[in-house]
Amino acid sequence: MDFDFSPEEQKFADEVEQWLVDNHDPVVMDHHRENFSQLSDTPERRAFMKKLAAKGWLGMSWPKQYGGQEIEGVFEFILTEALSRHAAPQIGKGVGIIGKTLIRHGSEKLKREFLPQILNAEVEFAVGYSEPQAGSDAANMQLKAEKVEGGWKLNGQKMWTTSAHFADWYWVGARTDPDKRKHDGISLFLIPMDHPGLEVQSLPTIGKDTTNQVFFEDVFVPDDYLVGERGRGFQMISEALDLERFTMFTLSPITNRTDVLVDWVKQAKRDGKPLKDDPNVRRTIAHIVTDTAVAKGLSTRFLCAAKGGGKPPTIQSSQYKLFTTTLSQRVCKDALDIAGHEGTIMEGQEEAPLLGRFEGAYRATMNETVGGGSSEIQKNIIARRHLGLPKNF
Ligand SMILES: Cc1cc2nc3c(=O)[nH]c(=O)nc-3n(C[C@H](O)[C@H](O)[C@H](O)COP(=O)(O)OP(=O)(O)OC[C@H]3O[C@@H](n4cnc5c(N)ncnc54)[C@H](O)[C@@H]3O)c2cc1C
């Protein structure tokens, strides 16, 4: 198996890299935002996405009939990793989660309305699955969708909806059929985020940015805005989560941080002695670099399994997400350990090594091991679906 890019893929990677260098903008590209740098939450960041759209780089893997180029997902992977390497906004939510699910399951009306907007970077989405009593167990969601004349009336609450404070549309799961088995009673809806009856309350997180809780009071959704088949929402959500676990958790922050760590170790001293002479420090970094190569291998496995489109590969996605987000966290923790007592100084203080880059990043990685389904949930999926072990302990 060849782990290197083909000449055509490498050419594209070089083109993207050059374009990002030429279009560098410190207002848009901010490494200190860590994983939240992927969101298009400001006018400048939305303008940047429009430039990407003008390059024809949104929806490259989509079918031609919906404005895509029908090329393999590896090109989107190359683009996403390059954007992440430059701390620029990313394409995952619109092109990946919403766009790909609509292409597989949406009505022609919803495809006609939303796919061009995604391709032109004219729309931002928030994704609402989690609720106060339905986090890891998303199938337990209780947001009530009651059938009324011409549509649905939604009442209840969502929790942890990232992007709700700036998004245009809400991609939201609700219980339409409470009498059915819990996995079969959920449907998916699209709702304009400024709809009367929706109230967004922000929750600043440990990870440097904001998520939200959202309250629904008699929110009317026309029939046309039910996505796919009634009662099949959970199956679509599961597919979308398989995509999210691969596309929203990139490798580049790990390699970026490792480079920063190595550069720092090369010149830092402890008790008057160069840190680079400490064998424990060298071993720790060698371990990180080796595990990064394993994470790259897991990403290649996902891309191979996802070739040709179709249902995203669940096991490969969970293995990638579990390994990459825990490694991402470990890199920060190892860097803080290497920094010794100075590692405890908070981000932004002059005395903090690298101005606390790893202190801030460590907090951000706490969110990564939870968002998109926690590490425990990824292990459960692998144990059950891959190894055929029982569902619960
Ligand atoms: C910053 C952030 C952003 C998020 N953004 C979104 C978003 O945009 N949209 C959205 O819908 N959701 C979002 N989430 C929710 C996220 O995807 C998780 O699914 C959710 O946070 C987990 O639910 P919970 O917090 O209620 O924890 P719980 O489900 O209560 O879990 C608590 C702990 O128990 C463990 N646990 C739970 N069940 C099991 C089990 N069966 N086996 C073993 N261990 C278990 C968990 O791993 C965790 O450690 C976000 C979460 C965070 C922190």
Side-chain angles (χ1 to χ4, degrees):
M1 175 181 278
D2 191 356
F3 280 86
D4 291 327
F5 292 140
S6 70
E8 195 191 350
E9 290 159 4
Q10 189 56 52
K11 187 165 167 261
F12 178 66
D14 294 343
E15 184 189 350
V16 173
E17 179 60 26
Q18 188 57 52
W19 187 85
L20 285 166
V21 170
D22 294 345
N23 285 275
H24 178 75
D25 178 349
V27 174
V28 171
M29 301 166 178
D30 181 0
H31 282 285
H32 287 275
R33 291 188 64 190
E34 302 296 342
N35 203 26
F36 279 99
S37 65
Q38 67 181 269
L39 302 179
S40 302
D41 54 348
T42 62
E44 293 84 2
R45 299 166 77 78
R46 289 186 79 147
F48 174 87
M49 288 309 278
K50 286 205 88 65
K51 286 206 266 179
L52 272 192
K55 290 289 292 175
W57 287 346
L58 300 189
M60 290 182 289
S61 68
W62 289 8
K64 287 188 178 153
Q65 71 180 117
Y66 299 120
Q69 301 168 35
E70 279 178 33
I71 57 178
E72 282 301 339
V74 65
F75 288 90
E76 279 168 355
F77 169 76
I78 289 169
L79 177 64
T80 301
E81 284 294 343
L83 292 168
S84 165
R85 196 164 55 245
H86 286 260
Q90 291 162 39
I91 66 171
K93 209 179 261 184
V95 169
I97 299 172
I98 316 293
K100 289 187 178 172
T101 309
L102 279 179
I103 288 169
R104 274 175 62 73
H105 303 285
S107 65
E108 283 309 311
K109 179 195 160 31
L110 291 183
K111 287 178 192 165
R112 269 198 311 276
E113 179 170 348
F114 288 99
L115 298 181
Q117 290 190 63
I118 295 172
L119 287 181
N120 295 321
E122 285 164 354
V123 61
E124 286 297 325
F125 296 95
V127 170
Y129 309 140
S130 304
E131 296 177 8
Q133 302 308 320
S136 300
D137 185 12
N140 191 39
M141 65 177 74
Q142 300 299 329
L143 180 77
K144 189 167 146 195
E146 205 183 333
K147 189 75 192 91
V148 293
E149 179 74 34
W152 299 84
K153 196 169 68 181
L154 273 57
N155 279 289
Q157 183 193 346
K158 288 287 167 190
M159 193 71 195
W160 311 121
T161 305
T162 305
S163 307
H165 55 300
F166 65 85
D168 308 299
W169 282 84
Y170 204 2
W171 174 261
V172 71
R175 189 156 297 280
T176 45
D177 297 273
D179 300 332
K180 292 204 170 152
R181 197 179 72 104
K182 69 177 181 177
H183 292 79
D184 296 331
I186 294 169
S187 302
L188 258 181
F189 296 91
L190 272 161
I191 309 171
M193 212 62 244
D194 60 358
H195 195 296
L198 272 185
E199 189 195 329
V200 177
Q201 287 182 11
S202 288
L203 297 167
T205 77
I206 191 176
K208 303 181 147 201
D209 220 325
T210 286
T211 184
N212 304 279
Q213 47 187 340
V214 183
F215 298 89
F216 292 65
E217 193 183 340
D218 290 340
V219 174
F220 175 75
V221 187
D223 284 325
D224 286 349
Y225 289 83
L226 179 126
V227 180
E229 227 179 287
R230 172 177 175 172
R232 298 285 297 163
F234 191 74
Q235 288 70 23
M236 287 182 261
I237 289 171
S238 302
E239 279 184 25
L241 280 170
D242 289 339
L243 281 170
E244 176 174 342
R245 288 168 186 153
F246 183 67
T247 57
M248 307 287 276
F249 301 93
T250 46
L251 290 169
S252 296
I254 299 174
T255 42
N256 274 350
R257 287 179 200 135
T258 308
D259 291 346
V260 169
L261 175 62
V262 172
D263 285 348
W264 180 70
V265 159
K266 279 182 181 162
Q267 50 79 36
K269 288 193 172 160
R270 161 98 26 83
D271 300 331
K273 292 185 195 141
L275 264 183
K276 65 177 165 22
D277 290 346
D278 182 332
N280 283 326
V281 170
R282 292 200 302 262
R283 276 197 290 265
T284 299
I285 295 175
H287 193 182
I288 289 171
V289 172
T290 306
D291 279 351
T292 306
V294 176
K296 173 97 190 335
L298 289 172
S299 75
T300 308
R301 281 185 74 233
F302 178 95
L303 289 167
C304 288
K307 255 193 174 144
K311 191 178 174 310
T314 302
I315 308 301
Q316 289 83 347
S317 160
S318 286
Q319 287 179 334
Y320 171 84
K321 203 257 171 189
L322 171 66
F323 194 84
T324 306
T325 55
T326 44
L327 173 60
S328 181
Q329 193 168 95
R330 204 186 83 213
V331 173
C332 299
K333 185 174 180 309
D334 285 348
L336 291 176
D337 284 348
I338 290 172
H341 60 275
E342 288 166 16
T344 59
I345 302 173
M346 206 167 174
E347 186 176 20
Q349 310 300 309
E350 254 178 53
E351 298 81 358
L354 299 160
L355 289 178
R357 170 81 197 269
F358 287 101
E359 183 277 322
Y362 185 52
R363 282 186 282 115
T365 61
M366 298 285 178
N367 282 350
E368 291 173 21
T369 54
V370 178
S374 68
S375 295
E376 287 76 17
I377 296 309
Q378 306 318 310
K379 288 178 202 166
N380 283 354
I381 291 171
I382 295 161
R384 243 181 345 111
R385 305 259 201 106
H386 189 41
L387 305 173
L389 292 169
K391 187 169 176 199
N392 248 326
F393 28 73

